[in-house]
Amino acid sequence: MAKGEGTEQYSNNNLLTNKPVNPDVVKLAVKREQKNRLSVCNKLCYAVGGAPYQITGCALGFFLQIYLLDVAQLDPFYASIILFVGRAWDAITDPTIGFLVSRSPWTRFGRMLPWILFSTPLAVVSYFLIWYVPVFEDGRVIWYLVFYCLFQTLQTCFHVPYSALTMFISEDQKERDSATAYRMTVEVLGTVIGTAIQGQIVGMANAPCIPTPGDNVTADGLNSSLCRPSLLSQKTAYNIASGVICSIYVLCAVVLFFGVKEKKGNAGLTFRMSFWQGIRLVMGHGPYVKLVMGFLFTSLAFMLLEGNFALFCCYTLGLRNDFQNILLVIMLAATLTIPFWQWFLTKFGKKTAVYIGTSSVIPFMILVVCVKSNLIITYVVSFAAGVGVAAAFLLPWSMLPDVVDDFQVQNPDSRGHEAIFYSFYVFFTKFASGISLGISTLSLDFAGYMTRGCTQPENVDITLKVLVSAAPIGLLLIGLVIFRSYPIDEERRQGNRKLLQEQR
């Protein structure tokens, strides 16, 4: 029924606008299309801007939990508080910053780019201090909480305008989709860089483990690689890794600012509604709500896997010396398969790509916990999981512009809401991520997790298996059920494209 109504809508609109073709109008349309085309250089400069968010996010997602527990030596309860509050605060700042961006005046550099430029210096300072262990012990919880929240706020000032910038680099859907594919490739490459820098540098300085009464330390003793470096060297390794990442962050921001021209278009219209009016407006758009809810559960699944996978490799699989390489394989596989998913969604449609891409990772989530610890099998499973991660990276950001276009077709007199749409998507995923990280860390605490232990109790192993397999699979299935009711298929998307061209 919905599909038929949508087809009839487009047919009626086309009949209403079926007028004799004016040659001057055709020439104007051709010129507009040429103007909207982006060069490869423009797309690359735009794509580079997505790397800082993924590099820092990957480093924090994979390593912050194990860093707080084993290096900063915080109690698991306090670590869970930091992770939850930091993510929850980050989620709250997204719609707030999105609203402020929408109210920002147009400058000669654009509306989005100044936010990116001015937030970068403070963001890199706060990021570096997250990975610094202060000499005092009593105030460490406050230290990490303050700088974690501060960095999340400043990074939001970078990422929300950057995400909304997708709508202002071109008015053409194909050009935006192409630029998004470039962006997703660079962003997944950013996760590889973040994993490689953080993992390889930190991996060369594993913290010494603490034997438990059940550990056998006689004869050959414990694995010497577990006790080889000092804790001080690992603190230094985290500082070096964060310094390198900060340098890349600044470089990417400079390339984005000078390599991308923000086109005025709808951006010249300042958003004059109140904050709550804006919320009601975008949350009242059905396709947007269904898209956000679907990706809320699928993103939460991958975040849960990401946040606990390092601990799972170290303790459950016993691959403490290889976990950074396993994470690197996942991200490399994701980078290599982004072009495949871009081709797939172009050939078969974005909704089909969601089903295939999301469900493809489920068998490997089951396999990794069912097969006895084996390094080769773990690498194979990790590569296969990376294929699903690529789809999870690409599809949300490829589908969001379609929802914004659909909103503009249905509300032709309402303009300038792009930042709100993007910020609320990030809000829901980050808030869910904070809940998942807080719950998972608390679960480890209840299971009896031992800070820097050479081994962990059996309950911890069971908990980690649930956190990286059973729970993510359940969340993915819920997300797939929600996507069944997502109404924007290829027919409706192309119809929206034609109607927007007529409006312009």
Side-chain angles (χ1 to χ4, degrees):
M1 178 64 71
K3 182 176 178 181
E5 290 175 354
T7 307
E8 184 180 353
Q9 174 191 354
Y10 301 132
S11 301
N12 291 338
N13 277 281
N14 289 332
L15 289 172
L16 290 173
T17 57
N18 187 17
K19 299 177 180 179
V21 178
N22 188 327
D24 293 333
V25 174
V26 175
K27 290 180 181 179
L28 183 63
V30 172
K31 287 183 179 180
R32 180 183 292 273
E33 184 177 353
Q34 292 175 346
K35 184 179 178 181
N36 286 329
R37 287 180 181 172
L38 299 172
S39 67
V40 173
C41 182
N42 291 144
K43 293 176 184 178
L44 286 174
C45 290
Y46 166 72
V48 164
Y53 179 78
Q54 296 300 339
I55 292 173
T56 55
C58 188
L60 290 168
F62 279 127
F63 294 95
L64 184 59
Q65 185 182 52
I66 197 170
Y67 166 80
L68 293 175
L69 294 174
D70 288 358
V71 180
Q73 300 184 48
L74 299 183
D75 183 89
F77 174 78
Y78 292 116
S80 68
I81 294 297
I82 293 170
L83 293 170
F84 171 72
V85 173
R87 284 286 189 168
W89 172 258
D90 185 25
I92 293 171
T93 60
D94 279 294
T96 306
I97 297 300
F99 174 74
L100 294 175
V101 170
S102 297
R103 296 293 297 266
S104 299
W106 178 263
T107 70
R108 65 190 184 97
F109 299 109
R111 178 186 290 174
M112 310 296 168
L113 291 174
W115 281 84
I116 293 169
L117 180 67
F118 292 117
S119 65
T120 296
L122 295 174
V124 296
V125 172
S126 58
Y127 178 80
F128 181 83
L129 293 175
I130 291 174
W131 302 103
Y132 177 78
V133 180
V135 293
F136 51 85
E137 295 186 6
D138 293 340
R140 284 185 182 179
V141 175
I142 301 299
W143 172 280
Y144 290 115
L145 187 59
V146 168
F147 285 111
Y148 188 36
C149 291
L150 181 60
F151 171 71
Q152 298 286 22
T153 302
L154 293 166
Q155 190 186 50
T156 299
C157 293
F158 182 108
H159 192 249
V160 167
Y162 173 74
S163 300
L165 188 62
T166 308
M167 303 301 298
F168 303 122
I169 57 176
S170 176
E171 294 179 351
D172 187 82
Q173 272 189 1
K174 289 184 177 179
E175 291 299 303
R176 292 202 306 256
D177 285 347
S178 177
T180 300
Y182 275 80
R183 171 190 165 188
M184 290 302 104
T185 302
V186 173
E187 286 199 5
V188 178
L189 183 61
T191 65
V192 175
I193 295 172
T195 305
I197 293 173
Q198 193 84 3
Q200 298 302 316
I201 294 176
V202 172
M204 293 187 292
N206 288 324
C209 64
I210 300 174
T212 60
D215 291 327
N216 180 16
V217 295
T218 60
D220 294 333
L222 290 170
N223 188 336
S224 60
S225 62
L226 298 181
C227 304
R228 180 179 59 226
S230 67
L231 185 59
L232 179 61
S233 68
Q234 192 174 51
K235 293 178 182 178
T236 304
Y238 273 102
N239 291 337
I240 294 172
S242 61
V244 174
I245 288 175
C246 287
S247 301
I248 297 174
Y249 194 116
V250 173
L251 178 62
C252 291
V254 171
V255 170
L256 173 65
F257 185 81
F258 290 104
V260 174
K261 183 179 179 182
E262 185 178 342
K263 297 181 180 180
K264 196 167 186 178
N266 295 333
L269 302 173
T270 305
F271 183 50
R272 295 300 181 188
M273 288 187 178
S274 71
F275 178 73
W276 295 109
Q277 285 175 325
I279 292 176
R280 286 195 296 270
L281 190 67
V282 299
M283 296 307 294
H285 188 56
Y288 177 73
V289 174
K290 291 174 182 176
L291 180 71
V292 168
M293 293 303 295
F295 278 118
L296 170 66
F297 285 98
T298 56
S299 299
L300 180 55
F302 284 105
M303 289 174 185
L304 202 60
L305 176 66
E306 177 188 64
N308 295 280
F309 198 69
L311 290 172
F312 176 76
C313 290
C314 288
Y315 295 114
T316 302
L317 298 182
L319 303 174
R320 188 183 180 98
N321 293 329
D322 298 286
F323 80 91
Q324 67 271 14
N325 298 323
I326 295 170
L327 300 181
L328 191 58
V329 167
I330 294 176
M331 295 300 108
L332 279 172
T335 304
L336 294 173
T337 51
I338 281 284
F340 165 77
W341 287 116
Q342 176 63 21
W343 168 84
F344 190 94
L345 66 86
T346 304
K347 183 74 174 177
F348 300 102
K350 297 178 181 180
K351 194 170 179 178
T352 303
V354 169
Y355 282 105
I356 303 298
T358 303
S359 58
S360 65
V361 75
I362 293 177
F364 302 102
M365 285 183 174
I366 297 172
L367 185 62
V368 75
V369 297
C370 292
V371 177
K372 190 175 181 180
S373 178
N374 182 292
L375 184 58
I376 295 177
I377 293 178
T378 303
Y379 277 125
V380 172
V381 170
S382 298
F383 185 88
V387 177
V389 170
F393 267 98
L394 176 64
L395 290 167
W397 300 112
S398 180
M399 296 169 77
L400 270 172
D402 299 337
V403 173
V404 177
D405 285 344
D406 189 77
F407 176 84
Q408 290 180 352
V409 166
Q410 297 185 24
N411 302 272
D413 297 326
S414 185
R415 302 287 183 176
H417 306 291
E418 291 81 3
I420 297 292
F421 275 101
Y422 278 81
S423 63
F424 266 93
Y425 168 71
V426 180
F427 164 78
F428 285 114
T429 54
K430 286 182 177 179
F431 188 77
S433 172
I435 294 175
S436 70
L437 286 174
I439 291 175
S440 63
T441 310
L442 278 177
S443 300
L444 292 173
D445 188 22
F446 292 143
Y449 178 85
M450 299 183 62
T451 301
R452 287 173 47 221
C454 294
T455 60
Q456 296 292 341
E458 183 180 356
N459 287 340
V460 172
D461 291 337
I462 295 173
T463 302
L464 287 171
K465 288 180 179 179
V466 172
L467 293 173
V468 302
S469 181
I473 289 172
L475 293 168
L476 289 176
L477 293 176
I478 295 173
L480 290 175
V481 170
I482 294 174
F483 274 120
R484 285 187 60 85
S485 61
Y486 177 68
I488 301 180
D489 54 14
E490 286 304 298
E491 181 181 356
R492 180 163 172 175
R493 193 168 76 91
Q494 294 301 327
N496 285 340
R497 180 186 177 188
K498 292 178 182 179
L499 291 175
L500 285 174
Q501 287 176 344
E502 293 170 1
Q503 288 178 11
R504 288 164 183 158

